[in-house]
Amino acid sequence: MRADLNGFIFAVLLPLLFIIQQGAVHVSATADEAQSSGSASPPKKKKALADYNDADMERIYDEWEKDEEPLAEDELPEHLRKGPQIDFSKIGQMDPEALLKLTKKGKSLMMFATVSGNPTKDELEKITGLWHSGLFNMHIESQR
């Protein structure tokens, strides 16, 4: 989330703030000023771009994200997706492998392998490369 926020700040907000600072666009500081535009009070001074702190950037980011449509279920990050519905009454009848398949459906899974014998580093790289390409050919993303 923090990396996304930093990327957003540098890609979108900083150029926007530069435009606002140059006076090309006038943005009222608060909602009260926008509602009472007929009042006799002078507008707030514009804040210099160098004077913005993390709280200001966070507030601007929250305003930007406020009216955005929520992401579709399949576009959400893995930790925010809803898990599959599990019928707990049938857990005792299921074998452990089927239960694992049901609970980990659509999620990343770590898998570890031990190579028997005493292979050299080059042999080990060759063996893991074969497994990696085999999994890739079956459309399974893997890292080694």
Side-chain angles (χ1 to χ4, degrees):
M1 175 69 185
R2 194 70 178 160
D4 293 340
L5 177 63
N6 289 337
F8 174 79
I9 289 171
F10 287 112
V12 177
L13 289 181
L14 288 179
L16 181 63
L17 291 174
F18 180 74
I19 292 170
I20 292 170
Q21 182 186 17
Q22 296 302 321
V25 178
H26 177 70
V27 177
S28 60
T30 63
D32 294 336
E33 287 181 2
Q35 290 175 355
S36 62
S37 59
S39 67
S41 65
K44 276 190 158 182
K45 277 185 142 182
K46 294 180 188 174
K47 198 173 193 178
L49 182 60
D51 295 337
Y52 279 90
N53 58 21
D54 288 339
D56 295 330
M57 291 298 205
E58 191 74 33
R59 194 174 321 110
I60 291 170
Y61 179 74
D62 289 340
E63 286 179 26
W64 182 274
E65 294 288 319
K66 181 174 45 176
D67 295 328
E68 190 170 300
E69 294 179 17
L71 293 173
E73 180 72 25
D74 61 337
E75 294 177 354
L76 286 172
E78 187 176 308
H79 68 281
L80 295 178
R81 293 182 195 151
K82 294 179 184 172
Q85 298 299 323
I86 301 171
D87 187 10
F88 289 105
S89 63
K90 297 180 181 177
I91 286 181
Q93 301 165 358
M94 294 179 135
D95 63 297
E97 191 172 322
L99 182 62
L100 183 66
K101 280 183 183 179
L102 186 62
T103 58
K104 294 294 183 181
K105 184 176 182 180
K107 294 187 178 184
S108 297
L109 182 69
M110 293 180 73
M111 182 173 70
F112 299 93
T114 304
V115 179
S116 63
N118 194 11
T120 64
K121 186 168 179 135
D122 292 334
E123 292 172 334
L124 188 61
E125 286 293 321
K126 186 175 180 180
I127 292 169
T128 56
L130 287 171
W131 273 94
H132 183 260
S133 63
L135 290 170
F136 181 77
N137 287 336
M138 292 188 302
H139 305 288
I140 299 174
E141 292 181 36
S142 63
Q143 297 176 353
R144 48 182 186 132

